[in-house]
Amino acid sequence: MSQREPLILGIESSCDETAAAVVRGGREVLSNIIATQHELHEPYAGVVPEIASRAHIERILPTIREAVREAGLRYEEIDAIAVGHRPGLIGSLLVGVSAAKALAWSLDKPLIGVDHIHAHLYAGLLEDEPVTFPALGLVVSGGHTSLFLMKDFERIRVLGRTIDDAIGEAYDKAATILQLGYPGGPRLDKLAQLGDDEAYELPVSMLERNSLDFSFSGLKTALLYAVCGKPEGRGSSARMPRDASSLSDLEKADFAASFQRAAAQAIVRKLRRAFKQHKVKTLLTGGGVTANSRLRHELEQMAAQRGLDLRLPRMEFCLDNAAMIAGLAAERYRAGAFDDWTLAASPRSETVSS
Ligand code: KG4
Ligand code: ZN
């Protein structure tokens, strides 16, 4: 790579990972440091926003220092500071945005604010070749399940999104129903590999005929009733007749495999529908659930059948990370599209709806 390729420090703090990374030229990842907070949120079986922001404050500076050190650089050698500034938990985002502004100001370097969802779509380009547009983009994470039509990384249109739970949220709730602990997605994935995916028939929601929206709450409720039985009584006195502790290990694995099959099918069938409506040959994917073994396998099969350029992120770039932030920021750096000190954290993405 030529020496003029920009060296960008990326910062990510939108949810429960404090992350910093240095990426050269949008592709070459020189460091990718992730300080996870899972142990802090585990007792609550979900992310507690106040705990998350406090932990970001404690971890952000050591994480940034480690990323710069591991990249073998001095701060002055970095060309720009990029930060995921939306969407996410506002208190968490503010920590990353404040750190990025302080660094950019003190080093006299440009500041680049990046949309976290768009960065997930970029993750499959890290350590890989550029792609041809237009493309379909799929983000499947704990907070989002969305399908996009992309002319490039600046012109992104929402084709569909979940009308209830995000797929990662459904995975985490399914894991809670099966008493697998937190975070549930990876544990359910592991257990599913020991089970029979046809043991239980769970619903695959497709919504109306041409809809590209997703729905996962029906699948989650079907699993709840299959494992625990239908609730007895009404309102606050309603009780589930049993729980997952009455299941054998094999039964749990069968439920996990059957859930995973239905969840992956919901994504793949919706993608087939999207490819009928939009003649594109590139599929960019990202978000924590792209780490799921079943979904990866099915997406690879679909790409092989259709001759798609499928970009599944490497495992270390599936979950929240800062390499994807620094990578996407290189596009903005080349265009000279920098932010000023008014860059604000925002809980929402500003991607245009269809
Ligand atoms: O992208 P991410 O780190 O955070 C958000 O932006 O939301 O995604 C986290 C989500 C969690 O719901 C987690 O359970 C899920 O990704 N996840 C998985 C797997 N690894 C992480 N879900 C299914 N299978 C996995 N292997
Ligand atoms: Zn994410």
Side-chain angles (χ1 to χ4, degrees):
M1 258 183 207
S2 90
Q3 284 197 320
R4 282 182 293 113
E5 293 285 14
L7 283 163
I8 300 188
L9 169 67
I11 297 172
E12 156 62 33
S13 69
S14 65
C15 190
D16 59 345
E17 324 278 6
T18 316
V22 178
V23 176
R24 189 191 339 246
R27 304 237 295 278
E28 191 190 344
V29 180
L30 303 185
S31 62
N32 184 33
I33 309 298
I34 303 174
T36 179
Q37 304 177 6
H38 287 168
E39 78 288 358
L40 298 179
H41 302 287
E42 184 161 13
Y44 309 95
V47 178
V48 182
E50 289 77 7
I51 294 178
S53 16
R54 181 187 294 243
H56 283 305
I57 291 171
E58 289 166 2
R59 292 161 195 219
I60 193 107
L61 292 179
T63 306
I64 292 171
R65 254 181 237 128
E66 178 73 5
V68 175
R69 195 193 57 77
E70 199 179 296
L73 297 171
R74 286 174 292 115
Y75 283 95
E76 306 79 68
E77 292 174 279
I78 289 164
D79 294 306
I81 314 293
V83 61
H85 74 115
R86 68 180 189 213
L89 300 172
I90 191 73
S92 292
L93 288 166
L94 275 169
V95 178
V97 170
S98 308
K101 283 183 181 174
L103 261 180
W105 183 79
S106 59
L107 296 169
D108 196 20
K109 304 285 180 187
L111 173 70
I112 303 175
V114 167
D115 185 299
H116 177 92
I117 303 298
H118 299 178
H120 270 308
L121 291 169
Y122 189 89
L125 276 72
L126 293 169
E127 302 286 347
D128 209 332
E129 298 301 312
V131 287
T132 313
F133 287 99
L136 283 186
L138 171 75
V139 174
V140 279
S141 73
H144 303 271
T145 308
S146 303
L147 202 50
F148 303 94
L149 184 62
M150 306 171 67
K151 287 188 178 162
D152 52 38
F153 278 103
E154 290 297 317
R155 291 172 297 169
I156 301 179
R157 183 158 72 92
V158 180
L159 297 177
R161 52 162 63 112
T162 181
I163 60 166
D164 40 55
D165 293 351
I167 183 171
E169 194 183 345
Y171 260 97
D172 293 337
K173 287 179 181 164
T176 303
I177 294 168
L178 292 171
Q179 299 179 339
L180 303 181
Y182 172 86
R187 295 184 190 191
L188 192 145
D189 187 3
K190 201 162 162 221
L191 181 64
Q193 289 164 32
L194 308 172
D196 171 6
D197 65 2
E198 291 183 345
Y200 302 97
E201 192 64 48
L202 296 172
V204 178
S205 164
M206 289 300 285
L207 303 173
E208 304 96 73
R209 228 169 142 247
N210 292 319
S211 170
L212 295 177
D213 285 335
F214 300 91
S215 166
F216 289 99
S217 75
L219 170 59
K220 174 196 67 189
T221 307
L223 179 75
L224 176 69
Y225 289 179
V227 171
C228 303
K230 292 243 168 74
E232 291 166 353
R234 283 171 177 270
S236 58
S237 64
R239 294 273 172 278
M240 304 309 280
R242 51 181 192 273
D243 65 29
S245 57
S246 58
L247 298 177
S248 70
D249 288 348
L250 191 61
E251 280 169 327
K252 275 194 187 183
D254 285 348
F255 273 119
S258 303
F259 173 88
Q260 183 148 281
R261 170 167 167 256
Q265 278 299 308
I267 299 290
V268 168
R269 289 191 198 163
K270 213 45 75 72
L271 279 173
R272 287 209 190 98
R273 207 178 252 184
F275 278 110
K276 268 196 201 136
Q277 296 175 21
H278 302 277
K279 305 285 168 229
V280 304
K281 282 286 175 196
T282 304
L283 175 57
L284 301 180
T285 68
V289 185
T290 48
N292 183 260
S293 58
R294 172 91 193 213
L295 185 62
R296 288 179 89 86
H297 177 70
E298 298 221 7
L299 290 175
E300 274 161 358
Q301 269 189 332
M302 189 179 75
Q305 282 161 6
R306 291 174 175 259
L308 300 175
D309 179 7
L310 166 68
R311 295 305 175 90
L312 280 169
R314 293 183 182 203
M315 291 304 261
E316 64 268 36
F317 306 135
C318 290
L319 291 156
D320 286 349
N321 67 87
M324 66 184 192
I325 304 284
L328 178 55
E331 305 253 325
R332 298 265 305 283
Y333 184 91
R334 291 191 188 105
F338 303 134
D339 286 288
D340 61 25
W341 307 123
T342 63
L343 177 72
S346 163
R348 275 175 292 282
S349 186
E350 275 165 33
T351 306
V352 186
S353 276
S354 53

